Amino acid sequence: MEVTVELVDEATREFDVEPGTTYGELLADFDVSPHEVSVLVDGRPVPEDEAVDAEHVRVVRLIKGG
């Protein structure tokens, strides 16, 4: 399945994911910790250990340095 992952205000990437791939595994390519982001599908948070079943995923940083 083709999935677009948007790290809000930073980057957007497309992935061809295998069945069983989790939302947490999508984060590895962005070099972010699951503890500092929230993964959203249709505006709702999803657990990182849930299998990907959406074509568009938004990742929002919860903490941003400054």
Side-chain angles (χ1 to χ4, degrees), residues 1-3 16-27 47-54:
M1 170 172 35
E2 187 83 16
V3 178
D16 188 23
V17 299
E18 298 294 323
T21 301
T22 65
Y23 290 104
E25 291 172 324
L26 294 177
L27 298 177
E48 282 88 17
D49 61 352
E50 187 174 305
V52 175
D53 67 352

Side-chain angles (χ1 to χ4, degrees), residues 3-7 11-15 26-31:
V3 178
T4 301
V5 181
E6 173 190 2
L7 181 57
T12 301
R13 297 192 182 126
E14 292 187 6
F15 299 94
L26 294 177
L27 298 177
D29 217 45
F30 288 94
D31 194 32

Side-chain angles (χ1 to χ4, degrees), residues 6 8-9 11 16 24 28-29 33-34 37 39-40 47 54-56:
E6 173 190 2
V8 176
D9 295 331
D16 188 23
D29 217 45
S33 166
V37 298
V39 179
L40 306 173
E55 293 179 1
H56 186 84

Side-chain angles (χ1 to χ4, degrees), residues 32-64:
V32 295
S33 166
H35 302 289
E36 64 185 44
V37 298
S38 185
V39 179
L40 306 173
V41 173
D42 295 328
R44 284 174 268 169
V46 293
E48 282 88 17
D49 61 352
E50 187 174 305
V52 175
D53 67 352
E55 293 179 1
H56 186 84
V57 177
R58 293 186 79 199
V59 179
V60 179
R61 284 192 188 269
L62 302 175
I63 302 170
K64 197 162 190 172

